[in-house]
Amino acid sequence: MKNEFVLQACGIHKSYHKDRIEVPVLRGVDVNITAGKVNALVGRSGSGKSTLMHILATLDTPDTGEVIFQGQRIDNASRARRDAYRNRDIGIIFQFYHLLPELSAIENVLAPMMIGQSLWNYFRNRREARLRAEAMLDRVGLLHRATHRPTEMSGGEMQRAAIARALMTDPKLLLADEPTGNLDTDTGETILSLLDQLSREENLTIVMITHDDAIAKSADVCYRMQDGLLETKKPSRNVA
Amino acid sequence: MYRWLLCFRYLRTRYIALASIISVTLGVATLIVVNSVMAGFSAEMHDRLHGLASDILIECHISGGMPDPERHLEEIESVCGDQIAGSSVSVHVPSMLGIEFNGQQIARHVNLVGLDPETYNTVSQFGQFLLHPENQSSVSFDLREQGFAPDREGFPASGWEYRRAKAGYEKALELERERIEVLKAKANAELAKKRGEEPPANAPAVAASDGPTISPFFSPEMLEGTNGEGPKEFDAAVDQYPGIILGISTCSTKLRDEDNVVRDHYYCRPGDDVRMMFPNASDNTKVINQKFTVVDLYESGMSEYDSTFAFVRLDKLQDFRGMIDPQTGIRSVTTIQLKLIEGANLNEVRDMLRRRFPPDVYAYNIQTWKDMQGPLLAAVRLETTILNILLFLIIAVAGFGILATFFMIVVEKTRDIGTLKALGASGRGVMSIFLSYGLLLGFVGSGAGLIGGLLFVSNINEIAGVIEKITGQEVFDPTVYYFTKIPTIIHPFTLCWVMAGAVAIAAMASVLPALRAARMHPVKALRFE
């Protein structure tokens, strides 16, 4: 069973404090992410889906509850382990792309490699790293933009560069926080189909957060967040 | 890896940070310039002071001096002979210099030194500061024909040539005066005859002052060796008094002409006669009044020396002052100067000599040249230290500028910091980005300062000239400093610690912003608008 779920969260509670008033965001969320599927987390704004994703990415810690990655608890692991988890085991895509503006597209794609490896290792492997980065850019169809800065690219291109960056370290899991939230419908659809394609071709697990039911419907598995609880479990769409 | 990539990128794209580093650049450049000039100045001063003074000076305060210097030297030799490279004895006596200038007397207080030209040059630099090129290699107290200060513009004609011309002129003037006097006397006599009066009683007196006596004073010593023949008539055109070398400032002043060019004005020059008055060596002190002929001028560049010293031959001065025991013929001196071997410990030798000649028995004052110039050297050191502290404070102020700029950059980069953390960068990694950024800025800033400072130092005299032209204010006044150029010395060690200090300050200023960046919560950072 464990093999089936690449990432699990059990009884996640999280609340924020504002002027001594406790604002609960997550109230005991259990989620099991099936490997090799596109998992959609749908919910309205403020339903806690982004907080859940941050907890799943270990960017934030739950008040109570556990996050288990490949059978190992990750939320209370050492700082170095969590850094390595974010760097190698998962890839994250943000609504606002979050590319580093000082670096070109290919340097942005290389960034996880640079962060994860020591200076010496990186220098030894820089040729392979560069080739891999180019392959990733090619994979998202952005090779011709390799030397461009983020400010010189469109939203769709930036998101594709961000996907290439997330895939750079060959992660098991891709966390996407409203990847199309800032894009027009057509561009959003190309991004979605790209993710869909990746999932199928590379057997990549994708957790996608969205407020758009239409997008959620196209996912393999869909979870609905409401008021800090994972409310319904919608049966998955038939795998083609 | 990403740290360095990002820091280089930040360096290239954040000009505000470069602006904040300019103050470091300026601070470093100023420090380098100040230190080089101060080092040059104090080295020049050291050189000059040391060149003029011997390593160790034994002064006797008794007016009659210490008898038998040879015995003293033997004694010194037995105390610390292995340390001594040379020695010389001399007589120092306070005296008054009288210069006749345009028929008026100028009186100055000078320190009259009787020296032995052969040995004096071994203990201190003396000859090289004289104006006549031949005197520079071998000092002579006989007046030279001509050729004083060949490379000095506007130096008046000096030497025998000048002396003869002057004597001839004075003789002619005297003759003319006499002729007029005789004519006047005649006219008066005729006038009186016409009135039927007796001729005035003073008329013969005029005729009596017939002999052309330039100097009515002859000291008894000048009669020596004349076989009792009595004084020969002194003719300034062919004879000279004992030679004297005057410090240049005792008989000249530096003044600016209308074009603001500094010129020397000489009250007397080689070839002129001057009068010296100094006490004799007896217990019942009397003043000796003696004429000397200026044979050269002495310019060391140290105003203290140039304006207070006059040099004559040791044996002459001993004769004049009566410092020779009439029975034994043993001479006395007031000062023994010692030159030590290279690398000798000055203070140790001084202390050994002080033990041998304890001050409660002997009225001797034993000093090293550093003791004599102690206050001056200490003042320069203090000045350098204070300037360094002040300038480092300026760099520290610049450090606070960097701190503020870095805080701004960290705030501006908040989302990027969040991104880096989301990509797995550790807090330490993020911190090191900003630390290395600070370090890099420090290097760039102080490196630019280093280059700027070195360029400034190497062209300092030209820059001073430009500033003079722009402001009309003389930066480096040669009437004050006696250097025509600003001396500079660059010590590599100074450069190193100035650089290290500036880089350290820049790095320290980036610690707080870097810590803030490291502690930033990734989610808050990502959501930062």
Side-chain angles (χ1 to χ4, degrees), chain B residues 252-491:
Chain B
S252 74
T253 53
K254 284 180 185 293
L255 288 173
R256 286 171 192 285
D257 61 12
E258 308 83 68
D259 304 327
N260 219 13
V261 179
V262 177
R263 287 194 196 287
D264 293 305
H265 292 271
Y266 296 90
Y267 300 131
C268 75
R269 43 182 131 158
D272 281 327
D273 294 334
V274 294
R275 184 179 299 283
M276 299 296 292
M277 279 155 268
F278 47 88
N280 69 355
S282 72
D283 292 335
N284 189 7
T285 309
K286 287 189 184 68
V287 174
I288 308 281
N289 193 327
Q290 172 64 39
K291 275 203 149 191
F292 288 91
T293 298
V294 179
V295 295
D296 207 341
L297 298 178
Y298 168 87
E299 182 172 34
S300 64
M302 287 298 302
S303 61
E304 190 197 332
Y305 285 74
D306 290 346
S307 62
T308 56
F309 277 108
F311 304 92
V312 297
R313 283 180 66 99
L314 175 64
D315 49 354
K316 288 271 188 233
L317 191 57
Q318 282 170 329
D319 288 346
F320 292 144
R321 293 196 67 217
M323 295 178 88
I324 308 163
D325 192 312
Q327 270 113 52
T328 56
I330 290 173
R331 288 164 181 260
S332 299
V333 297
T334 63
T335 307
I336 297 174
Q337 280 152 309
L338 299 176
K339 167 103 183 149
L340 300 190
I341 54 168
E342 201 73 28
N345 188 338
L346 285 174
N347 291 352
E348 199 181 294
V349 175
R350 175 197 63 195
D351 294 341
M352 282 199 298
L353 289 173
R354 277 187 185 167
R355 276 196 294 277
R356 175 61 190 82
F357 302 105
D360 45 351
V361 181
Y362 298 89
Y364 295 170
N365 184 15
I366 304 171
Q367 286 181 306
T368 67
W369 71 275
K370 281 184 182 167
D371 295 338
M372 287 186 282
Q373 299 298 344
L376 190 57
L377 297 178
V380 172
R381 258 202 308 278
L382 182 72
E383 228 168 283
T384 316
T385 314
I386 286 176
L387 270 173
N388 271 311
I389 291 170
L390 286 180
L391 289 169
F392 255 101
L393 280 180
I394 287 178
I395 299 184
V397 170
F400 284 100
I402 297 173
L403 184 81
T405 315
F406 263 52
F407 260 113
M408 267 168 53
I409 290 176
V410 167
V411 169
E412 191 197 334
K413 290 276 141 211
T414 300
R415 279 173 62 149
D416 290 358
I417 292 165
T419 310
L420 285 169
K421 287 194 168 170
L423 291 176
S426 60
R428 277 168 68 182
V430 172
M431 185 166 152
S432 70
I433 292 178
F434 290 94
L435 280 184
S436 22
Y437 187 26
L439 204 65
L440 206 63
L441 273 181
F443 267 116
V444 170
S446 54
L450 177 75
I451 294 166
L454 290 181
L455 282 177
F456 196 103
V457 168
S458 61
N459 298 308
I460 191 157
N461 287 300
E462 289 82 346
I463 292 168
V466 170
I467 292 172
E468 268 164 36
K469 234 173 234 164
I470 294 169
T471 60
Q473 186 83 37
E474 193 148 29
V475 176
F476 199 77
D477 190 344
T479 58
V480 177
Y481 293 106
Y482 282 88
F483 307 137
T484 47
K485 280 183 174 173
I486 304 172
T488 55
I489 290 179
I490 295 165
H491 289 302

Side-chain angles (χ1 to χ4, degrees), chain A residues 124-210:
Chain A
R124 250 190 355 204
N125 305 326
R126 66 187 186 286
R127 199 151 297 163
E128 292 108 90
R130 198 160 181 94
L131 284 176
R132 180 165 169 78
E134 277 169 8
M136 287 300 124
L137 277 177
D138 199 23
R139 187 89 176 76
V140 299
L142 213 62
L143 193 54
H144 62 289
R145 294 291 229 170
T147 56
H148 288 228
R149 293 279 171 91
T151 44
E152 298 158 344
M153 295 195 279
S154 71
E157 284 171 331
M158 280 196 266
Q159 195 57 293
R160 280 190 279 164
I163 292 169
R165 178 176 70 181
L167 295 175
M168 186 63 191
T169 49
D170 199 14
K172 318 276 181 309
L173 179 70
L174 195 65
L175 295 174
D177 186 1
E178 305 241 18
T180 62
N182 212 30
L183 300 171
D184 60 85
T185 323
D186 288 349
T187 321
E189 250 158 41
T190 46
I191 296 292
L192 285 175
S193 62
L194 177 65
L195 288 176
D196 211 36
Q197 195 189 354
L198 285 169
S199 166
R200 270 182 283 113
E201 285 174 13
E202 322 244 323
N203 199 29
L204 184 70
T205 314
I206 295 175
V207 177
M208 185 159 45
I209 286 161
T210 180

Side-chain angles (χ1 to χ4, degrees), chain A residues 16 50-51 54 59-61 83-84 86-87 92 94 96 98-104 107-108 111-112 114-115 117-119 122-123 149 165, chain B residues 1-6 9-10 12-14 412-413 415-427 518 521-523 525-527 529:
Chain A
Y16 291 116
S50 279
T51 306
H54 288 143
L59 288 171
D60 214 345
T61 47
D83 287 338
R86 286 198 298 270
N87 185 245
I92 311 174
F94 300 96
F96 297 105
H98 285 313
L99 296 174
L100 297 172
E102 277 82 16
L103 305 183
S104 66
E107 283 164 344
N108 264 296
M114 295 184 198
I115 289 169
Q117 294 184 345
S118 67
L119 189 64
Y122 179 79
F123 252 99
R149 293 279 171 91
R165 178 176 70 181
Chain B
M1 174 63 205
Y2 67 105
R3 303 160 196 170
W4 290 106
L5 183 67
L6 279 174
R9 286 292 151 82
Y10 287 169
R12 265 176 42 195
T13 51
R14 307 279 122 187
E412 191 197 334
K413 290 276 141 211
R415 279 173 62 149
D416 290 358
I417 292 165
T419 310
L420 285 169
K421 287 194 168 170
L423 291 176
S426 60
H521 194 279
V523 173
L526 282 168
R527 288 204 174 135
E529 293 294 324

Side-chain angles (χ1 to χ4, degrees), chain B residues 27-45:
Chain B
V28 167
T30 319
L31 259 176
I32 288 172
V33 171
V34 164
N35 273 307
S36 310
V37 172
M38 290 303 262
F41 218 87
S42 67
E44 191 93 349
M45 237 171 59

Side-chain angles (χ1 to χ4, degrees), chain B residues 241-253:
Chain B
Y241 296 103
I244 189 169
I245 295 170
L246 292 178
I248 195 157
S249 301
T250 59
C251 60
S252 74
T253 53

Side-chain angles (χ1 to χ4, degrees), chain A residues 71-82:
Chain A
Q72 276 184 330
R73 218 178 140 182
I74 196 78
D75 60 298
N76 64 351
S78 71
R79 205 172 280 220
R81 174 71 190 102
R82 278 183 285 151

